Amino acid sequence: METSRPLIITPTFNERENIESFSHAVRDILPTADLLIVDDASPDGTGKQVEHMIRQDARIHLLHRRRKEGLGRAYVAGFSWALEHPYSHILQMDADFSHDPKDLPRLLQAANAFDVVIGSRYIGGVRILNWPLRRLILSYAAGIYVRTLTRMPIMDPTGGYKCFRRDVLEAINLTHIAADGYGFQIEMNYVAWRLGFRLHEEPIIFADRIAGFSKMSLAIAWEAIWLVLKLAFIRKKSKHCCS
């Protein structure tokens, strides 16, 4: 049986107030995993706090970035770092406790049978706490929009709690992944799906962040809208060329 060596990647920007409690939580739940913090030059000193944590736990790693370039660029940098090391599974999650660390073992277990495991807020029902109704409607409608245009059978295509088997990231040309916000999650799912990898949604309960501020913006939303149109166009063009 394959020996599992997981890595958890967490991008940060101004997460100093909860990064230490977050790291303790994930290392307690999944002690076999390493943790990579990808910090986009947080002005609040998140990177310095992680440096202090590293001196106490050798399985915590830090990737310093010179400036804030967006979620997608941070994850691509983290994925590239992961592929330079012998990790078997790469998990991604937020540091604000909206993704419950207790779900990590379930996502990793599901990756024994699937290539990409998505912690889904919408599979088998809605599992979101403390969101205003407007945000919930927009998020759910985004999933319908993505499924309708791309035909990708995923209820929660924008979810950011995932586990990738190593070979998925090796097969994806990460330099071609262009999106940054929620569009990044859609693009990674879509590319993996079109490459023939098996995607699976594992139900989770998603709670709104308990500290800090949301990074969501109108620009991120528009990026996702245009990305889906682009993916739908590519899908139809490819289908037409091959028919």
Side-chain angles (χ1 to χ4, degrees):
M1 180 181 291
E2 177 186 3
T3 301
S4 173
R5 188 182 175 191
L7 172 72
I8 301 164
I9 299 178
T10 301
T12 56
F13 185 76
N14 289 346
E15 300 283 2
R16 180 185 176 92
E17 61 184 294
N18 53 286
I19 191 60
E20 188 165 6
S21 58
F22 166 79
S23 66
H24 287 321
V26 299
R27 294 283 290 115
D28 287 346
I29 293 295
L30 205 61
T32 60
D34 283 12
L35 173 62
L36 173 65
I37 308 296
V38 184
D39 186 63
D40 274 6
S42 296
D44 74 342
T46 301
K48 290 291 185 181
Q49 181 67 22
V50 176
E51 289 176 357
H52 172 73
M53 291 156 46
I54 288 172
R55 290 194 287 270
Q56 302 175 40
D57 188 342
R59 302 194 74 163
I60 299 175
H61 310 276
L62 173 64
L63 187 58
H64 274 298
R65 289 164 55 75
R66 296 181 180 178
R67 60 185 181 275
K68 190 176 188 296
E69 294 181 317
L71 182 73
R73 296 306 91 206
Y75 269 128
V76 166
F79 292 158
S80 298
W81 187 94
L83 294 178
E84 294 172 358
H85 299 80
Y87 296 106
S88 61
H89 298 78
I90 296 89
L91 300 102
Q92 62 169 70
M93 65 187 300
D94 294 341
D96 58 15
F97 287 98
S98 56
H99 298 148
D100 190 341
K102 292 179 181 178
D103 292 323
L104 284 166
R106 284 199 298 118
L107 268 62
L108 189 59
Q109 178 66 29
N112 289 330
F114 299 95
D115 302 306
V116 181
V117 179
I118 301 165
S120 179
R121 300 165 292 182
Y122 301 121
I123 192 72
V126 176
R127 295 179 174 85
I128 295 180
L129 303 177
N130 304 325
W131 265 15
L133 182 60
R134 179 176 177 273
R135 186 175 178 186
L136 177 59
I137 292 172
L138 286 173
S139 176
Y140 194 81
I144 296 173
Y145 174 71
V146 173
R147 288 192 301 277
T148 301
L149 269 66
T150 67
R151 304 301 183 192
M152 183 171 57
I154 298 297
M155 288 294 296
D156 191 4
T158 63
Y161 200 0
K162 298 181 191 175
C163 179
F164 295 92
R165 292 179 63 88
R166 180 187 182 90
D167 54 345
V168 178
L169 298 182
E170 289 176 332
I172 294 175
N173 188 337
L174 295 173
T175 62
H176 288 178
I177 301 297
D180 267 328
Y182 292 115
F184 170 78
Q185 312 297 356
I186 298 168
E187 190 172 10
M188 287 294 293
N189 290 338
Y190 184 79
V191 172
W193 177 60
R194 289 300 299 266
L195 287 172
F197 288 106
R198 301 161 298 170
L199 276 63
H200 168 73
E201 292 184 90
E202 188 72 14
I204 63 165
I205 294 176
F206 180 93
D208 201 7
R209 60 181 300 136
I210 63 173
F213 301 94
S214 172
K215 314 302 192 293
M216 180 61 176
S217 69
L218 185 60
I220 289 174
W222 276 113
E223 177 196 51
I225 290 171
W226 286 109
L227 170 72
V228 173
L229 288 171
K230 175 184 174 182
L231 296 178
F233 174 78
I234 292 173
R235 181 186 66 83
K236 291 181 179 179
K237 183 178 180 181
S238 174
K239 184 176 180 180
H240 175 74
C241 291
C242 299
S243 59

